[in-house]
Amino acid sequence: MANPGPSQPCDLAGLGVLVTRAQHQAQGLCRQIREHEGRSISFPAIEIGGPADPAATGALLERINQYHTLLFISPNAVAWALKLLGDKGLPEGVQIGAVGRATAQALARAGCPVDIVPEEQFDSEALLATEALSDVEGRNVLIFRGRGGRALLGDSLSARGAKVDYAEVYQRICPDADTTELLLRWDDVGVVTATSNAILDNLLSLFDVSGRSRLLATPLVVVSERMRGHARDLGFRQVLLSAGAEDHNILAAICDWFQQQA
């Protein structure tokens, strides 16, 4: 899929943007920020590790041929599922769904055609609203997600008559990061980006009381209405909403906000 970038020419004029994604997922956004004359400041506030219970997850994946529908909640779910499945890969003829474009792209790059993906909003609610999941009576559904993910998708499909299992193929870990150096140059940070509630929670736990007050006073870009509500509950004063979690959407939100400051 093409990367459209901001709808208008955007010169960030040296704006410092704190990028909090996991290190292996941050390069694209950092590059786009630099291409638009901004300064990317990488501070991974989350790490992604393998399943908390490898034996249980492995046993579940051994039965993957029993499922009619496989649903993937994130690109991390795709990456770790395929890693754990190894040469076996996904079974042929199974229905595959993705919560959004980035997840669908990750599947497509791995040679796995996607049958179900929302067209606009990209979350569990939008996936549930697709026609393909409106009638799942009697179907076996396996949801690939991180440890402790939202229950909405599985609960809703169960209520529609599906038999649902979760393959928790990865876990989110709060890194042991020192914020001292970052806080010494906090004046260089013009805006913070975050792509999950776990990242927001980790940021609050990583900063001490004085650093937390500076963090909460800095404009924040999030990627969903649910995240915006959570950020406000945490005390962030100015929360900006991106159209999605893709790099170009986050960049567009930053550009729109920055141009309004001129």
Side-chain angles (χ1 to χ4, degrees):
M1 183 176 294
N3 185 345
S7 57
Q8 299 295 329
C10 175
D11 184 346
L12 291 174
L15 176 72
V17 182
L18 191 70
V19 179
T20 60
R21 271 181 163 155
Q23 188 169 10
H24 71 284
Q25 294 177 311
Q27 294 89 339
L29 180 57
C30 289
R31 182 181 64 254
Q32 290 197 33
I33 291 166
R34 293 192 298 269
E35 288 174 351
H36 289 79
E37 308 304 326
R39 288 180 297 113
S40 61
I41 303 168
S42 181
F43 183 76
I46 196 167
E47 295 175 356
I48 305 298
D53 189 341
T57 301
L60 184 62
L61 295 182
E62 285 295 322
R63 306 194 305 271
I64 195 171
N65 288 319
Q66 299 176 8
Y67 294 94
H68 305 105
T69 302
L70 308 178
L71 301 178
F72 291 83
I73 297 303
S74 68
N76 282 321
V78 175
W80 277 96
L82 295 177
K83 180 178 181 179
L84 293 170
L85 286 165
D87 294 338
K88 181 178 180 180
L90 298 180
E92 294 184 3
V94 68
Q95 186 181 51
I96 297 177
V99 75
R101 284 194 298 252
T103 305
Q105 288 171 345
L107 285 161
R109 286 194 295 270
C112 305
V114 178
D115 304 295
I116 313 167
V117 62
E119 295 183 1
E120 295 181 3
Q121 186 178 341
F122 305 116
D123 53 22
S124 295
E125 289 85 348
L127 190 57
L128 285 165
T130 58
E131 183 178 355
L133 294 182
S134 62
D135 183 6
V136 291
E137 179 75 33
R139 296 184 69 82
N140 296 329
V141 178
L142 183 60
I143 299 175
F144 289 89
R145 68 175 189 178
R147 184 185 184 189
R150 294 176 74 196
L152 175 67
L153 181 59
D155 288 351
S156 299
L157 293 175
S158 294
R160 296 176 185 180
K163 182 184 181 303
V164 178
D165 288 317
Y166 293 105
E168 296 192 336
V169 292
Y170 69 96
Q171 57 183 317
R172 307 166 189 85
I173 303 167
C174 184
D176 183 15
D178 187 351
T179 61
T180 303
E181 182 179 347
L182 177 61
L183 286 171
L184 287 174
R185 56 189 183 112
W186 192 260
D187 288 343
D188 294 336
V189 179
V191 64
V192 176
T193 64
T195 54
S196 72
N197 283 344
I199 288 176
L200 291 178
D201 293 338
N202 290 351
L203 282 172
L204 267 291
S205 69
L206 289 169
F207 283 78
D208 60 19
V209 174
S210 61
R212 198 174 300 146
S213 65
R214 302 183 75 180
L215 171 68
L216 295 174
T218 306
L220 170 73
V221 177
V222 299
V223 301
S224 71
E225 287 285 0
R226 189 169 66 92
M227 274 195 72
R228 180 155 66 173
H230 186 60
R232 288 172 172 165
D233 289 342
L234 292 174
F236 283 91
R237 299 177 196 170
Q238 185 176 5
V239 186
L240 316 168
L241 182 62
S242 166
E246 297 86 358
D247 294 338
H248 67 271
N249 281 324
I250 296 172
L251 178 68
I254 295 169
C255 288
D256 289 346
W257 167 80
F258 185 67
Q259 290 168 346
Q260 291 172 13
Q261 311 309 304

